[in-house]
């Protein structure tokens, strides 16, 4: 460490004292030792970006190229090592090319007497091939053919690896990939994958990655056996090699089902899952992306899930690397369409870190996280859990933002609400005819935007208060029960509302049974709605004249129930004196139970109503022609009456 600090200090002193210009001038000295010593100092200096640029600006490239003709190999090696650093800079590469540096390198590469310089010369060539002008030069001067000779007949693995790196640089443009494909480069690369040298295998994987952007090459590589060869490299101890192999597989399987199948058949999915616990974020990101590409096929997806993939991905949701997170959420979006995968994610504790990712401002990551939430929300238990972690509140904030809102965030919000109707009704005050409420539904009242809606368990644990009760629904039990009259239910021994009692709302179950037996046998749809309305009204205290509504003792009745149960949560079936909101909820519940279609709409001041659609005949046209018409069902004053939507009677029912 002291040596490095001393070296850095020397660099700064030389730079501060403008030592680089005289060093460049000394490159023209007749004394070979002066040249060598100057080159060694310059080599140390060009490790720093500013010095690399300064060498070019001070005209250092021409004298460096001139020294390639030196009779002393040590000087030639130093020049090439300096050029490897200097040609990283684009302006330096331009000057290098203008000074015929590329031609000078090709002269060295063409001379067998300079074989000891070939590896370093090829590394400089690899840098230069980043420019399109240099690419044209290598094609015109037969350089590409020369590179292929170094690949096929190398004197050392280092030279072979450097030549492959040059091919990778050439393959950066689509035009050159087509040229390489015509020269059957894929066959050469497949052969190189079996060379027992890590540097050659690593360079070859990088070349496979580059060539896989050419559609025909992607197929050729598969047909020639590249995929099993690359998969086997995932067993290697070299982290750099495994990183390059996963990168190649990621590109090979992108939008290519046959290649994904080939990776699967080679056992690649198992080895890729093993890489997920690796220390290289890039390797992990590549592995996850490849698994996501493969998971689009159901057979492969099932096999991927059998190797503990979801548990590993759940851990990766805590990563601090953005690309790992982007790829992980993408993979989970593919995998969690499977029911068991969602359950595994839940058990692995992945839901909370998933919800936390909704806070991100990275667009791709946010989109992917929203997609996973949308898919997982199809499971009601998981949806409730995500809501518990604040997913809805975060999504509400996102959807208010012009910059962060998207179709993905809107879909995630809709999916959560549709699988958690209790929350949907609290937030939106509306349930559609396809929102079928059933056991576990509860009405916690209207919620403010951004307010977290407590779960039923959390609400049931709160001490009794003066707020509106939470109305709980359960119609799950199907066992035959003896009918109890209203008095028995009303005068039941008071006891706290336990989970068992929540699951045993006998009165509601009997009402559902009665509705099925009496309503469904009616042939006329309008009469079915009317009969159901009368049943609901009868169960909730009967008809109440509008002018007598203030005398209806529903408030006292609800308060007594809360006191009896020692809870703010009241089962719907126990309510015997119900107002609009209770009756509308019961109507929706029973209608859903027997298959009748209706909505549930929350109004102000304990108002709620149900809308149904019936087909009316149009007397002005053919008698057989009808059109749909919306009605509000009167459950309070004239039970069974259907009030045409937006009519004065309907508006009075909704607002009085």
């Amino acid at each position: 460490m002291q040596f490095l600090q001393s070296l850095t200090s020397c660099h700064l002193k030389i730079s501060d004292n403008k030592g680089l210009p005289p060093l460049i001038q000394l490159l023209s000295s007749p004394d070979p030792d002066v040249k060598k010593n100057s080159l060694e100092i310059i080599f140390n200096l060009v490790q720093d970006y500013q010095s690399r640029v300064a060498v070019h600006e001070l005209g250092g490239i021409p004298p460096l190229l001139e020294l390639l003709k030196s009779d002393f190999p040590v000087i030639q090696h130093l020049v090439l090592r300096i050029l490897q650093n200097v040609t990283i800079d684009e302006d330096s590469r331009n000057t290098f090319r203008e000074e015929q540096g590329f031609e000078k390198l090709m002269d060295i590469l063409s001379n067998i007497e300079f074989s000891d310089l070939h590896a370093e010369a090829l590394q400089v060539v690899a840098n230069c091939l980043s420019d399109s002008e240099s690419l044209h030069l290598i094609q015109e001067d037969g350089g590409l053919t020369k590179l292929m000779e170094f690949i096929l007949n190398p004197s050392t693995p280092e030279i072979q690896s450097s030549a492959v790196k040059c091919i990778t640089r050439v393959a950066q443009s689509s035009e050159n990939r087509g040229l390489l494909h015509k020269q059957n480069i894929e066959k050469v690369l497949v052969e190189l994958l079996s060379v027992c040298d890590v540097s050659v295998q690593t360079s070859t994987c990088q070349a496979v990655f580059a060539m896989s952007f050419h559609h025909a090459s992607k197929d050729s590589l598969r047909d020639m056996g590249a995929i099993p060869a690359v998969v086997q490299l995932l067993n290697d101890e070299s982290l750099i090699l495994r990183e390059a192999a996963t990168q190649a597989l990621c590109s090979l399987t992108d939008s290519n089902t046959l290649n994904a199948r080939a990776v699967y058949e080679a056992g690649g999915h198992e080895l890729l899952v093993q890489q997920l616990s690796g220390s290289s974020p890039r390797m992990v990101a590549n592995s996850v992306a490849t698994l996501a590409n493969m998971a689009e096929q159901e057979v492969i997806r099932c096999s991927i899930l059998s190797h503990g993939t979801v548990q590993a991905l759940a851990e990766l949701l805590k990563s601090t690397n953005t690309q790992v997170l982007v790829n992980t959420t993408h993979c989970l979006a593919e995998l969690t369409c499977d029911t068991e995968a969602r359950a595994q994610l839940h058990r692995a504790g992945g839901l909370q870190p998933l919800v936390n990712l909704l806070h991100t401002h990275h667009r791709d990551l946010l989109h992917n996280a929203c997609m996973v939430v949308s898919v997982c929300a199809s499971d009601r238990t998981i949806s409730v859990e995500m809501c518990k972690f604040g997913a809805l509140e975060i999504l509400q904030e996102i959807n208010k933002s012009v910059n962060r809102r998207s179709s993905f965030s809107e879909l995630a919000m809709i999916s959560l609400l549709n699988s958690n109707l209790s929350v949907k009704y609290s937030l939106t005050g509306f349930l559609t005819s396809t929102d079928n409420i059933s056991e576990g539904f509860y009405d916690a009242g209207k919620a403010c935007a951004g307010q977290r809606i407590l779960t039923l368990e959390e609400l049931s644990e709160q001490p009794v208060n003066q707020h509106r009760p939470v109305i709980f629904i359960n119609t799950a039990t199907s066992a035959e029960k003896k009918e109890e009259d209203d008095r028995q239910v009303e005068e039941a021994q008071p006891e706290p509302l336990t989970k068992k009692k929540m699951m045993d709302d006998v009165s509601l179950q009997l009402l559902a049974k009665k509705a099925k037996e009496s309503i469904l046998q009616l042939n006329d749809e309008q009469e079915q709605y009317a009969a159901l309305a009368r049943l609901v009204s009868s169960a909730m205290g009967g008809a109440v004249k509008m002018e007598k509504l203030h005398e209806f003792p529903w408030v006292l009745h609800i308060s007594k129930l809360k006191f009896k149960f020692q809870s703010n949560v009241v089962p719907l079936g126990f309510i015997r004196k119900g107002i609009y909101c209770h009756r509308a909820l019961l109507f929706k519940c029973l209608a859903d139970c027997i298959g009748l279609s209706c909505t549930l709409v929350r109004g102000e001041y304990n108002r709620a109503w149900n809308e149904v659609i019936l087909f009316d005949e149009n007397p002005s046209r053919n008698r057989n022609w009808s059109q749909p018409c919306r009605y509000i069902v009167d459950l309070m004053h004239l039970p069974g009456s259907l009030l045409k939507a937006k009519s004065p009677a309907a508006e009075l029912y909704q607002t009085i």
Side-chain angles (χ1 to χ4, degrees), residues 284-460:
V284 172
N286 291 336
S287 300
V288 175
T290 307
L291 289 169
N293 293 339
M294 299 171 68
E296 294 175 4
Q297 301 179 57
E298 185 177 359
V299 174
I300 301 177
R301 182 169 64 247
C302 293
S303 187
I304 289 173
L305 289 172
S306 68
H307 290 90
T309 309
V310 173
Q311 291 84 344
L313 294 175
E315 283 301 310
L316 292 180
L317 289 174
K318 304 170 187 174
S319 172
T320 56
N321 183 280
T322 301
Q323 195 58 53
V324 168
L325 290 172
V326 168
N327 293 358
T328 297
T329 47
H330 176 213
C331 190
L332 281 172
E334 294 288 347
L335 294 175
T336 50
C337 60
D338 181 271
T339 303
E340 177 56 28
R342 295 193 293 271
Q344 289 176 11
L345 183 63
H346 189 185
R347 290 194 296 268
L351 296 182
Q352 184 155 17
L354 170 63
V355 171
N356 291 342
L357 291 179
L358 295 175
H359 290 291
T360 184
H361 286 266
H362 188 282
R363 193 164 186 80
D364 290 341
L365 178 54
L366 179 57
H367 288 178
N368 289 351
C370 287
M371 279 302 300
V372 182
V373 170
S374 300
V375 176
C376 288
S378 59
D379 187 305
R380 185 179 178 279
T381 302
I382 293 177
S383 176
V384 170
E385 194 74 7
M386 289 191 290
C387 289
K388 188 185 296 185
F389 293 133
L392 272 175
E393 291 75 33
I394 301 171
L395 286 169
Q396 286 181 79
E397 287 301 313
I398 291 172
N399 289 330
K400 289 178 184 176
S401 169
V402 175
N403 296 325
R404 300 183 69 206
R405 182 178 65 237
S406 69
S407 58
F408 297 94
S409 61
E410 291 169 352
L411 177 62
M413 182 77 173
I414 292 170
S415 299
L416 278 177
L417 292 178
N418 286 342
S419 62
N420 197 338
L421 297 182
S422 302
V423 174
K424 180 177 184 178
Y425 189 48
S426 285
L427 281 177
T428 68
F430 181 75
L431 295 181
T432 69
S433 57
T434 57
D435 291 329
N436 293 327
I437 61 178
S438 58
E439 62 272 8
F441 180 90
Y442 62 97
D443 177 11
K446 182 179 180 180
C448 299
Q451 172 189 342
R452 179 175 172 265
I453 298 167
L454 301 179
T455 64
L456 185 63
E457 289 72 16
E458 291 170 328
L459 290 166
S460 65

Side-chain angles (χ1 to χ4, degrees), residues 30-31 40 111 217 339 457:
D31 188 335
E40 287 178 339
N111 193 334
S217 291
T339 303
E457 289 72 16

Side-chain angles (χ1 to χ4, degrees), residues 549-558 577:
L549 191 59
H550 64 282
E551 298 177 2
F552 189 60
W554 68 275
V555 176
L556 179 61
H557 171 66
I558 295 295
K577 293 182 177 64

Side-chain angles (χ1 to χ4, degrees), residues 45-57:
L45 289 174
V46 295
Q47 307 306 310
D48 175 69
Y49 169 75
Q50 296 296 336
S51 295
R52 287 200 298 269
V53 174
V55 167
H56 159 253
E57 292 175 345

